[in-house]
Amino acid sequence: MTDILKVAIAGGSGETGTSIVNGLLESSRPKFEIVALTRPSSLQKPRNLAFQERGVKIVAADLSGPEEELVKLLSGIDVVISALDPSAFAAQIPLANAAKSAGVSRFVPCSFATVAPPKGVMQLREMKEDIMNYIKKIYLPYTMIDVGWWFQLSIPTIPSGRTSYATIMPANMVAGDGTTPSGLTDVRDVGRWVARIIADPRTLNKLVFAFDEVLSQNQVHELLEKLSGEEVERQYAIKASDNPRDRYKLWNMQYLHSRGIRGDNTPEYAKYLGYLSARELYPDMKGNTLKQWFQEVLSNKATRVYMQKSTEA
């Protein structure tokens, strides 16, 4: 294992990107030198300034500009990670081209979500697969990482309102009968998983599924009820909406259908699709538990995700 890996990340100031940067900075072996590629207009963004104070090199990069400029920025970089928002997914094409030309050893496209089949179930997954197919077309070394559904998006509301401050999307809706298991991860653990995965030669040109726990929606609700002493009001959804006018609502419903009814987001299905299990690769890695997260929420100590506009997925 290389003692120091040089990593460039696009979208590092978003929720996923911030977790990744934190995970890389906290890693003791290997150590990472981090370059955050950011839009010129975002150089003074608070998160970028905070990263800079911690030793991250912040570099202005126009992903839609001349590729030769991107090649220069990526010269000497070992790993490129994309944590871009879906609206910026197309920018991964020139980024991948530049990584190829610069001789980057590993490209990590933006996935970092639930396991799902490549086509026919989730529009957002199909967008990610289009990028993955392009990466394979240009013969660029890669690792695709999925992390399941976030703890931070698994918070139901309860009558007292004690959880409302911590959620932007109350998780009261149940798909089917609520018994389908699904992989869950604390977003703060994503970076810790990534730090292990990108330094491991076993994960090169592989799909990797990293998750903290596997629970059904009923188990999630029952856990919060036990900890809070309150009843979660459940809303039941039978199938995904196909409203094309609101793509984010469509994507959320497709996520719910995929993980809650089809049962795609499980370690077993991930293995069927060819994923390696990060929990099996790194048995010493201990992530947070949903119980710990709910205790933070009920103690008014949680931080809501997406508090600021970001460029990540």
Side-chain angles (χ1 to χ4, degrees), residues 68-142:
E68 55 267 27
E69 295 301 318
L70 289 177
V71 174
K72 292 178 184 178
L73 292 177
L74 299 182
S75 177
I77 294 294
D78 297 306
V79 181
V80 172
I81 300 174
S82 169
L84 294 170
D85 182 270
S87 64
F89 273 3
Q92 293 179 99
I93 299 299
L95 187 62
N97 288 335
K100 175 73 174 180
S101 297
V104 168
S105 301
R106 188 189 304 244
F107 188 94
V108 181
C110 188
S111 193
F112 305 111
T114 59
V115 171
K119 297 286 184 180
V121 175
M122 293 177 57
Q123 183 184 84
L124 188 55
R125 181 70 191 201
E126 293 178 5
M127 294 165 61
K128 294 177 179 181
E129 291 291 337
D130 287 342
I131 301 300
M132 191 68 254
N133 287 338
Y134 185 82
I135 290 168
K136 293 176 180 178
K137 175 184 174 181
I138 64 173
Y139 203 1
L140 177 63
Y142 70 89

Side-chain angles (χ1 to χ4, degrees), residues 95-272:
L95 187 62
N97 288 335
K100 175 73 174 180
S101 297
V104 168
S105 301
R106 188 189 304 244
F107 188 94
V108 181
C110 188
S111 193
F112 305 111
T114 59
V115 171
K119 297 286 184 180
V121 175
M122 293 177 57
Q123 183 184 84
L124 188 55
R125 181 70 191 201
E126 293 178 5
M127 294 165 61
K128 294 177 179 181
E129 291 291 337
D130 287 342
I131 301 300
M132 191 68 254
N133 287 338
Y134 185 82
I135 290 168
K136 293 176 180 178
K137 175 184 174 181
I138 64 173
Y139 203 1
L140 177 63
Y142 70 89
T143 301
M144 189 173 190
I145 303 171
D146 278 312
V147 298
W149 194 248
W150 293 356
F151 288 178
Q152 285 74 10
L153 299 178
S154 303
I155 311 168
T157 55
I158 50 180
S160 67
R162 284 191 289 162
T163 64
S164 299
Y165 79 96
T167 180
I168 61 166
M169 187 172 64
N172 294 67
M173 188 170 290
V174 178
D177 62 6
T179 62
T180 303
S182 179
L184 301 172
T185 299
D186 190 325
V187 69
R188 296 169 297 184
D189 285 335
V190 170
R192 297 173 61 217
W193 286 115
V194 170
R196 299 292 292 271
I197 292 166
I198 65 172
D200 189 343
R202 296 174 296 176
T203 62
L204 189 62
N205 300 326
K206 301 292 184 181
L207 311 176
V208 183
F209 185 31
F211 59 95
D212 289 340
E213 292 193 281
V214 177
L215 296 170
S216 70
Q217 291 172 289
N218 286 347
Q219 288 174 314
V220 170
H221 288 170
E222 289 163 5
L223 176 60
L224 183 59
E225 287 175 331
K226 180 179 179 180
L227 294 173
S228 68
E230 301 183 46
E231 184 175 349
V232 172
E233 181 180 351
R234 294 159 172 79
Q235 302 164 0
Y236 289 89
I238 304 303
K239 62 180 181 178
S241 168
D242 289 320
N243 178 8
R245 292 174 294 180
D246 186 344
R247 64 175 184 170
Y248 287 101
K249 181 177 180 180
L250 172 64
W251 292 346
N252 285 332
M253 292 303 294
Q254 287 179 338
Y255 267 126
L256 186 63
H257 178 72
S258 173
R259 63 187 175 86
I261 294 179
R262 285 180 47 87
D264 295 328
N265 188 43
T266 63
E268 294 77 16
Y269 188 61
K271 283 189 177 182
Y272 167 76

